[in-house]
Amino acid sequence: MKKVLALVLFAAIIAAIIWLLIHFKGFGGLGKDSDKGEGKNGTSVSEVVEKKETTTSEEATEVKTEKSTEAIKTEVISISISKDEYIYNNNMISFEDLINEIKSKDNDIQIELSIDNTAAKNTVDDLTDKLDELGYKNYKKIDK
């Protein structure tokens, strides 16, 4: 009798732990704070479709213009530096090719330099000096 009672109590404790983990998004995001089909701003997909259908062509043009301006402002170039190598778009790239790629972008673009702890200081300094020389001031160093 005591073994059965202990087994039932153990099963109840396990069930309670699993329920708590699920409830607080411990497993697969099925918790109480899941979006339930809603976007980040609290609107569902169907509400967004309905709102877009009711906009006039002038409003739609304004929205497209605002979105394209935001896309330009939020474009980010991510460059990783490890040892004496530059990695851009998941490919190793030479210093000259990297500079040519950066030159093809607007001077207001954000540049993120992910610096590995094995990166050579002169490799990082060469790139930052060249960015300063070219007028790119929107770069930030991120240590890994």
mmCIF file of all heavy atoms in Angstrom, residues 25 29 31-40:
data_model
loop_
_atom_site.group_PDB
_atom_site.id
_atom_site.type_symbol
_atom_site.label_atom_id
_atom_site.label_comp_id
_atom_site.label_asym_id
_atom_site.label_seq_id
_atom_site.Cartn_x
_atom_site.Cartn_y
_atom_site.Cartn_z
ATOM 1 N N LYS A 25 6.709 28.333 -20.475
ATOM 2 C CA LYS A 25 7.469 28.220 -21.725
ATOM 3 C C LYS A 25 8.760 27.429 -21.570
ATOM 4 O O LYS A 25 9.740 27.708 -22.237
ATOM 5 C CB LYS A 25 7.772 29.583 -22.326
ATOM 6 C CG LYS A 25 6.570 30.300 -22.836
ATOM 7 C CD LYS A 25 6.980 31.524 -23.582
ATOM 8 C CE LYS A 25 5.758 32.190 -24.173
ATOM 9 N NZ LYS A 25 6.090 33.253 -25.035
ATOM 10 N N GLY A 29 7.357 26.556 -26.060
ATOM 11 C CA GLY A 29 6.630 27.815 -26.161
ATOM 12 C C GLY A 29 5.124 27.680 -26.075
ATOM 13 O O GLY A 29 4.390 28.469 -26.641
ATOM 14 N N GLY A 31 3.318 28.109 -23.447
ATOM 15 C CA GLY A 31 2.949 28.690 -22.166
ATOM 16 C C GLY A 31 1.876 29.736 -22.249
ATOM 17 O O GLY A 31 1.331 30.052 -23.295
ATOM 18 N N LYS A 32 1.593 30.321 -21.108
ATOM 19 C CA LYS A 32 0.511 31.295 -21.006
ATOM 20 C C LYS A 32 0.788 32.571 -21.789
ATOM 21 O O LYS A 32 -0.131 33.274 -22.151
ATOM 22 C CB LYS A 32 0.266 31.650 -19.538
ATOM 23 C CG LYS A 32 1.432 32.359 -18.881
ATOM 24 C CD LYS A 32 1.122 32.737 -17.467
ATOM 25 C CE LYS A 32 2.349 33.402 -16.872
ATOM 26 N NZ LYS A 32 2.109 34.666 -16.322
ATOM 27 N N ASP A 33 2.056 32.886 -22.084
ATOM 28 C CA ASP A 33 2.385 34.122 -22.777
ATOM 29 C C ASP A 33 2.620 33.915 -24.266
ATOM 30 O O ASP A 33 3.186 34.769 -24.922
ATOM 31 C CB ASP A 33 3.640 34.749 -22.165
ATOM 32 C CG ASP A 33 3.399 35.186 -20.727
ATOM 33 O OD1 ASP A 33 2.258 35.581 -20.433
ATOM 34 O OD2 ASP A 33 4.340 35.125 -19.928
ATOM 35 N N SER A 34 2.194 32.794 -24.818
ATOM 36 C CA SER A 34 2.401 32.587 -26.252
ATOM 37 C C SER A 34 1.540 33.564 -27.026
ATOM 38 O O SER A 34 0.517 34.055 -26.551
ATOM 39 C CB SER A 34 2.099 31.149 -26.648
ATOM 40 O OG SER A 34 0.725 30.879 -26.485
ATOM 41 N N ASP A 35 1.935 33.871 -28.259
ATOM 42 C CA ASP A 35 1.280 34.920 -29.039
ATOM 43 C C ASP A 35 -0.120 34.553 -29.503
ATOM 44 O O ASP A 35 -0.911 35.418 -29.831
ATOM 45 C CB ASP A 35 2.132 35.256 -30.255
ATOM 46 C CG ASP A 35 3.433 35.905 -29.868
ATOM 47 O OD1 ASP A 35 3.496 36.564 -28.827
ATOM 48 O OD2 ASP A 35 4.379 35.759 -30.645
ATOM 49 N N LYS A 36 -0.452 33.289 -29.572
ATOM 50 C CA LYS A 36 -1.764 32.836 -30.027
ATOM 51 C C LYS A 36 -2.114 33.455 -31.374
ATOM 52 O O LYS A 36 -3.195 33.974 -31.576
ATOM 53 C CB LYS A 36 -2.834 33.158 -28.996
ATOM 54 C CG LYS A 36 -2.637 32.428 -27.688
ATOM 55 C CD LYS A 36 -3.730 32.748 -26.704
ATOM 56 C CE LYS A 36 -3.454 32.020 -25.417
ATOM 57 N NZ LYS A 36 -3.255 32.845 -24.295
ATOM 58 N N GLY A 37 -1.145 33.474 -32.301
ATOM 59 C CA GLY A 37 -1.397 33.990 -33.636
ATOM 60 C C GLY A 37 -1.220 35.482 -33.764
ATOM 61 O O GLY A 37 -1.494 36.057 -34.793
ATOM 62 N N GLU A 38 -0.789 36.137 -32.733
ATOM 63 C CA GLU A 38 -0.640 37.579 -32.795
ATOM 64 C C GLU A 38 0.791 37.954 -33.109
ATOM 65 O O GLU A 38 1.714 37.244 -32.777
ATOM 66 C CB GLU A 38 -1.037 38.216 -31.462
ATOM 67 C CG GLU A 38 -2.501 38.059 -31.141
ATOM 68 C CD GLU A 38 -2.868 38.698 -29.826
ATOM 69 O OE1 GLU A 38 -1.959 39.112 -29.079
ATOM 70 O OE2 GLU A 38 -4.065 38.804 -29.550
ATOM 71 N N GLY A 39 0.942 39.109 -33.764
ATOM 72 C CA GLY A 39 2.269 39.622 -34.057
ATOM 73 C C GLY A 39 2.851 40.293 -32.838
ATOM 74 O O GLY A 39 2.249 40.341 -31.767
ATOM 75 N N LYS A 40 4.014 40.875 -33.008
ATOM 76 C CA LYS A 40 4.697 41.511 -31.887
ATOM 77 C C LYS A 40 3.950 42.745 -31.386
ATOM 78 O O LYS A 40 4.078 43.134 -30.261
ATOM 79 C CB LYS A 40 6.120 41.897 -32.281
ATOM 80 C CG LYS A 40 7.016 40.702 -32.462
ATOM 81 C CD LYS A 40 8.415 41.125 -32.765
ATOM 82 C CE LYS A 40 9.298 39.887 -32.918
ATOM 83 N NZ LYS A 40 10.648 40.221 -33.212
#
